[in-house]
Amino acid sequence: GFTSLVAITPAAALPVLQQIAATGKKPTLRYTVSVWTSSNSADMPEKLEAFAMPPGTAPDWYRFSAIKTWVDGENDARSGYMCEHYLGHDKNDPPGGHGTLVTPQAGLDRFADIAAANKVIPMMHCSGDEATSMGLDAFDKVLSGATPPPLVRIEHFGMFQLKDAQLARAKALKARGLRVVVQPIWLLALVRADFENMPHDLAASGFQFKSMIEAGLEPAASTDMTGIYLGNISPVKAMAAAVTRTSDMGVFEPEQAISVMDALRMWTIWAAKSMNEERDKGSIEIGKFADMTVLSDDIFRIPPERIKDVAVAQTIVGGAVAYQAK
């Protein structure tokens, strides 16, 4: 069902993809590359020419567009960097009980400046609320510069907790180039962990997709597919979770349920906008790539609880059939 992906690629592995791109052979999936060097990007070079695709590579299929860094860890592992203290105590907790700060503010500012100077997108992993505030600080600063990057992205925005002030600040930054990326499929796996690890009111503030949409943020959905949560690969199941608010703790905050159309937008046009690719991708229109997915059922007509069982019948990339269900 996928026609394009953002490949979060370690710099050490990038030469393999560059070699494949240099062959000129068309794959069955379009690759947009975001490169990372180390978790805190302390060794991110000032010049990024080495990350570019080889001369003559068709940008329709392979693009170097972004760099990635981590502000903090993961909330389900109690390492997301929070203002608040995690509930209880675990022997593996980082000192202080507020999670792990991977990259200090000065490092984030440097990272954003490198992206701006090289005209690529800076992507910051922000799980905890304090990490999110730090990411917003860095992006506010770089977007105020003389030559800002094409856009800026926060990965996992508001997934585990979201405060009203942060939502308002993100709304203000959206007009200047902020894009937010979320993982709706985590409703099925990580809601319980939030309530086990964080105060109730804080845990209840996560996954506010409807509030993000009403604020005009146009959140992009992603799998965050790292090989850990293998079920994350299905966009249809993620759409279903966002529409029904089904979670690993039952129906979670049903007032945050979104429409089927908005769920579809999260995986298509808003995803394309999150990488500055909406001129080519994200909708079926004259002048754009002939990339599309055919589903087994009409998700606008069937009951919402049935969406999770919809299958991919066919995937078309560049007008050619890349996948056909048996």
Side-chain angles (χ1 to χ4, degrees):
F2 291 100
T3 59
S4 292
L5 63 79
V6 178
I8 311 299
T9 307
L14 183 62
V16 177
L17 189 62
Q18 290 171 322
Q19 289 171 21
I20 294 171
T23 66
K25 294 180 180 178
K26 291 183 179 179
T28 56
L29 193 63
R30 302 186 193 276
Y31 289 84
T32 297
V33 178
S34 175
V35 179
W36 61 277
T37 53
S38 57
S39 56
N40 64 5
S41 296
D43 55 348
M44 181 67 68
E46 298 287 337
K47 304 292 185 181
L48 305 180
E49 292 92 340
F51 300 158
M53 290 296 117
T57 300
D60 292 358
W61 297 99
Y62 298 98
R63 303 180 183 185
F64 163 57
S65 297
I67 53 176
K68 170 83 181 285
T69 196
W70 280 256
V71 182
D72 63 343
E74 308 282 356
N75 277 52
D76 57 313
R78 299 171 66 91
S79 58
Y81 194 52
M82 299 203 307
C83 298
E84 297 77 12
H85 196 288
Y86 282 93
L87 289 179
H89 176 74
D90 185 278
K91 64 180 181 180
N92 298 314
D93 279 351
H98 294 270
T100 300
L101 177 61
V102 175
T103 310
Q105 192 68 56
L108 299 177
D109 293 344
R110 173 182 177 271
F111 174 83
D113 286 342
I114 289 173
N118 289 271
K119 297 181 173 57
V120 299
I121 300 167
M123 300 167 56
M124 291 188 184
H125 164 115
C126 303
S127 286
D129 53 1
E130 180 64 11
T132 298
S133 292
M134 293 175 67
L136 291 172
D137 285 345
F139 287 157
D140 192 357
K141 181 178 178 181
V142 78
L143 290 171
S144 300
T147 55
L151 57 88
V152 298
R153 289 187 19 152
I154 286 187
E155 315 299 307
H156 322 306
F157 178 80
M159 287 300 297
F160 304 111
Q161 66 274 132
L162 181 61
K163 294 172 177 174
D164 292 344
Q166 290 180 323
L167 182 62
R169 190 176 182 196
K171 180 179 179 179
L173 286 173
K174 165 67 161 46
R176 297 166 56 197
L178 174 68
R179 288 283 167 182
V180 300
V181 183
V182 296
Q183 293 71 38
I185 197 72
W186 287 355
L187 279 163
L188 302 178
L190 298 179
V191 172
R192 184 180 299 277
D194 282 354
F195 283 93
E196 290 174 349
N197 290 321
M198 299 187 296
H200 184 278
D201 289 349
L202 196 61
S205 74
F207 300 88
Q208 293 188 49
F209 304 136
K210 186 174 182 179
S211 293
M212 294 180 200
I213 292 168
E214 289 177 343
L217 294 187
E218 298 182 326
S222 88
T223 63
D224 197 55
M225 185 63 182
T226 60
I228 299 174
Y229 305 112
L230 298 181
N232 287 10
I233 199 65
S234 171
V236 178
K237 286 183 171 57
M239 289 183 216
V243 170
T244 64
R245 298 296 293 187
T246 302
S247 80
D248 58 351
M249 283 185 63
V251 177
F252 174 64
E253 302 293 333
E255 70 278 1
Q256 287 292 330
I258 65 173
S259 69
V260 176
M261 179 58 80
D262 280 342
L264 186 63
R265 289 185 178 114
M266 290 172 76
W267 283 98
T268 54
I269 189 63
W270 293 346
K273 286 182 176 182
S274 77
M275 288 307 296
N276 204 28
E277 295 181 346
E278 67 271 21
R279 290 177 296 277
D280 299 326
K281 306 176 181 179
S283 57
I284 303 172
E285 298 180 69
I286 293 173
K288 292 191 175 185
F289 298 150
D291 297 349
M292 59 198 81
T293 299
V294 182
L295 301 179
S296 62
D297 298 86
D298 186 342
I299 58 176
F300 295 101
R301 292 181 179 271
I302 62 175
E305 59 271 15
R306 281 188 53 204
I307 295 175
K308 63 179 175 58
D309 300 317
V310 171
V312 172
Q314 196 175 61
T315 306
I316 299 168
V317 183
V321 176
Y323 168 78
Q324 177 71 55
K326 294 180 181 179

